[in-house]
Amino acid sequence: MKYYSLNRKAPSTTFEDAVVRGLAPDKGLYFPESITPLPDSFFETIEHKSNTEIAFEAIKQFVGDEIHEKELKQIIEETLSFEFPIIEFDTSISTLELFHGPTMAFKDVGARFMARCLGYFNKNNSRNITVLVATSGDTGGAVANGFLGVKGVDVVILYPSGKVSDIQEKQLTTLGQNITALEVNGVFDDCQDMVKLAFVDSELISHMQLTSANSINIARWLPQLFYFMFAYKQLKNKYKKIVFSVPSGNFGNICAGMVAQKLGLPIQHFIASNNANNVVTNYLKTKDYNPKASVQTISNAMDVGNPSNFIRIEALYSNNFDNLKNNLSSYSFTDNETRDALSEIYSAYNYIADPHGAVGYLGALRHLENKPNDHVVFLETAHPTKFLDVVEDVIKTKVELPEQIKSVINKKKSSITITDYKDLKRFLLARNNT
Ligand SMILES: Cc1ncc(COP(=O)(O)O)c(C=O)c1O
Ligand SMILES: N[C@@H](CCOP(=O)(O)O)C(=O)O
């Protein structure tokens, strides 16, 4: 499979090169040159396949022969070593729990897949790779965990100071070894902009091999398409019209879902559920795409003002606004609405959601007002205990901490504060000269 840059000013390249580079030299996101639908028989028999078999069939065209079949299967098997259960609330709404991995957020799958692909490509390379990551909360922890101790790879995580939850901060600042956390005086978009700038800084890239482990990187982004197939597999014999409500920030997850649909997965419609950071909700209303500074909310991992992946969504629809609007709706919800949803989900279904999932639930309800016969799956993208203060305050109940959270909660944070791109560059160059 070849990948082209969405800025169209860099040559097309291989899967390996796109993974190792992260971002194209013209600062564009890489995108597959083609997406070939899987045969109907794949979806007709999907409930008889294991998650590993589904994932292998779904991803193999994107990897091509660049990773041997046996090793690709092994990578997928190791990546998917936990559950992806559907919890049915009633005949209209289900949730797909994506938080059973090591850091309890959906990012674990992409981070683990990418770490293993990079390990595969880097095995005969004596040069160290520096993985740069911007996080609004969850990517940082998942990438730190996925790459911890990987030989030849250094991870540098940029996160907005004071704008991630306490547990998220512990997950990304306490591992040590090859992981360094940089605490940025700014918002997530500042972190993401600095990462993108680093990739086109000729002085930096002459000193080091940089890549990204954000959804910028195709090996972090594409495996997210598995979730939609795992949900379909569990629901296809019960519901005809399956809709996904995806709590969205950087829009990588929902865009991966759209790739699954292009592969032939029968998805009726997508809902991008947003918090107050509502660039896409506004775009679908006004046709005016207007990125703006992000605002802080209780669903902090979605506090993104300039969603990186929206350009990939436009590419999937050949920039045709009407076609996109037929397949995608988007709604935005306030923190008070989110708190009310957390409370309602708890009292009506005895289920403890996290604030991001609660935004997804609200999107599902909004959709069902006009389409009561659809079945909406909202994605539970993180475990509620990652947002303990908010959740316990709303449901007025103590929530038991899972092992994954207990193991970091008392660890000591270690981070370096930076203010701007000059600080980041100085840090990277100094480290590379030692
Ligand atoms: C818990 C949670 N929900 C939703 C999102 C939004 O996902 P995306 O950035 O792929 O839109 C994130 C961050 O990525 C997240 O960590
Ligand atoms: N919400 C993310 C932001 C980065 O998204 P990514 O999918 O591009 O890595 C986070 O939690 O860090």
Side-chain angles (χ1 to χ4, degrees):
M1 171 68 72
K2 280 287 179 82
Y3 290 84
Y4 70 96
S5 162
L6 288 171
N7 280 355
R8 294 177 189 274
K9 293 195 184 87
S12 289
T13 194
T14 57
F15 177 74
E16 172 174 352
D17 191 49
V19 173
V20 172
R21 282 180 186 279
L23 198 66
D26 63 355
K27 228 177 152 188
L29 264 62
Y30 280 115
F31 197 74
E33 282 195 345
S34 62
I35 299 175
T36 307
L38 297 167
D40 290 347
S41 58
F42 173 81
F43 298 104
E44 282 157 15
T45 56
I46 195 167
E47 68 274 31
H48 305 301
K49 299 181 199 298
S50 68
N51 286 349
T52 310
E53 285 164 342
I54 295 170
F56 175 74
E57 287 305 319
I59 204 78
K60 79 174 179 203
Q61 68 176 282
F62 298 105
V63 178
D65 57 7
E66 295 178 52
I67 298 182
H68 295 134
E69 198 172 303
K70 198 165 146 242
E71 266 112 334
L72 182 58
K73 282 187 177 152
Q74 170 86 26
I75 287 174
I76 291 172
E77 184 121 26
E78 289 171 13
T79 298
L80 299 177
S81 60
F82 42 87
E83 299 298 312
F84 302 85
I86 282 271
I87 312 295
E88 278 184 70
F89 283 13
D90 54 35
T91 53
S92 303
I93 300 189
S94 300
T95 185
L96 175 69
E97 292 185 343
L98 296 176
F99 55 67
H100 293 276
T103 69
M104 310 210 90
F106 76 96
K107 305 292 165 121
D108 281 325
V109 167
R112 287 155 69 85
F113 182 81
M114 183 190 154
R116 285 163 175 78
C117 289
L118 208 56
Y120 179 89
F121 292 135
N122 210 27
K123 24 179 205 242
N124 301 320
N125 188 353
S126 54
R127 201 175 178 201
N128 260 30
I129 294 190
T130 301
V131 174
L132 274 187
V133 194
T135 187
S136 55
D138 284 327
T139 298
V143 169
N145 185 287
F147 284 82
L148 183 68
V150 175
K151 239 178 84 217
V153 178
D154 285 323
V155 176
V156 178
I157 304 168
L158 284 76
Y159 74 99
S161 181
K163 298 186 179 68
V164 303
S165 79
D166 291 347
I167 305 243
Q168 287 172 324
E169 188 171 41
K170 287 284 170 74
Q171 287 180 320
L172 63 94
T173 58
T174 59
L175 291 181
Q177 296 186 46
N178 58 333
I179 316 291
T180 308
L182 301 181
E183 189 168 351
V184 176
N185 286 318
V187 295
F188 167 75
D189 297 286
D190 299 321
C191 302
Q192 182 155 263
D193 287 349
M194 282 195 237
V195 166
K196 287 186 174 170
L197 212 53
F199 288 110
V200 289
D201 184 324
S202 46
E203 190 187 353
L204 258 190
I205 53 188
S206 69
H207 278 81
M208 62 185 74
Q209 173 75 58
L210 283 180
T211 192
S212 159
N214 279 105
S215 55
I216 291 170
N217 197 305
I218 51 166
R220 226 313 309 283
W221 166 56
L222 282 169
Q224 300 176 154
L225 69 85
F226 304 156
Y227 309 143
F228 301 83
M229 298 198 171
F230 298 164
Y232 178 75
K233 160 185 164 176
Q234 296 175 70
L235 292 172
K236 69 169 270 219
N237 289 331
K238 285 194 164 168
Y239 304 108
K240 286 271 156 300
K241 294 181 177 170
I242 298 177
V243 171
F244 284 95
S245 172
V246 186
S248 296
N250 223 8
F251 279 74
N253 207 17
I254 196 165
C255 183
M258 290 169 171
V259 173
Q261 191 187 37
K262 288 263 172 211
L263 288 172
L265 187 70
I267 297 174
Q268 181 77 7
H269 196 72
F270 285 98
I271 302 157
S273 297
N274 286 159
N275 59 25
N277 295 285
N278 54 9
V279 178
V280 173
T281 309
N282 287 344
Y283 172 64
L284 292 180
K285 259 191 225 149
T286 63
K287 249 185 163 173
D288 199 11
Y289 191 73
N290 224 343
K292 54 184 181 194
S294 60
V295 294
Q296 206 170 341
T297 73
I298 58 167
S299 47
N300 64 280
M302 306 197 298
D303 294 349
V304 180
N306 188 7
S308 201
N309 287 286
F310 199 66
I311 188 162
R312 283 187 172 137
I313 293 185
E314 293 201 292
L316 276 171
Y317 291 87
S318 313
N319 294 302
N320 184 314
F321 179 84
D322 294 330
N323 286 352
L324 173 61
K325 219 181 149 167
N326 282 337
N327 198 32
L328 173 70
S329 306
S330 181
Y331 309 109
S332 154
F333 301 97
T334 63
D335 279 354
N336 281 340
E337 289 171 312
T338 307
R339 284 195 186 86
D340 288 348
L342 281 174
S343 170
E344 178 176 307
I345 297 169
Y346 187 56
S347 57
Y349 303 106
N350 196 24
Y351 186 86
I352 304 175
D354 95 290
H356 304 75
V359 171
Y361 169 80
L362 287 168
L365 291 187
R366 189 67 67 81
H367 176 85
L368 289 164
E369 285 171 13
N370 294 321
K371 301 268 183 191
N373 297 325
D374 288 356
H375 186 85
V376 189
V377 182
F378 74 90
L379 304 190
E380 236 316 357
T381 42
H383 193 273
T385 51
K386 294 191 86 168
F387 312 92
L388 206 56
D389 299 354
V390 177
V391 172
E392 290 190 337
D393 181 53
V394 171
I395 65 168
K396 310 282 180 236
T397 303
K398 272 248 158 277
V399 187
E400 187 167 348
L401 297 183
E403 271 318 306
Q404 291 98 316
I405 304 294
K406 277 192 201 150
S407 66
V408 292
I409 205 157
N410 292 319
K411 286 197 177 161
K412 198 166 157 356
K413 158 183 162 181
S414 163
S415 68
I416 298 167
T417 302
I418 66 166
T419 302
D420 54 22
Y421 181 69
K422 272 193 267 159
D423 290 347
L424 172 64
K425 183 167 173 176
R426 213 175 298 124
F427 167 81
L428 290 172
L429 287 174
R431 218 166 58 135
N432 232 51
N433 286 333
T434 54

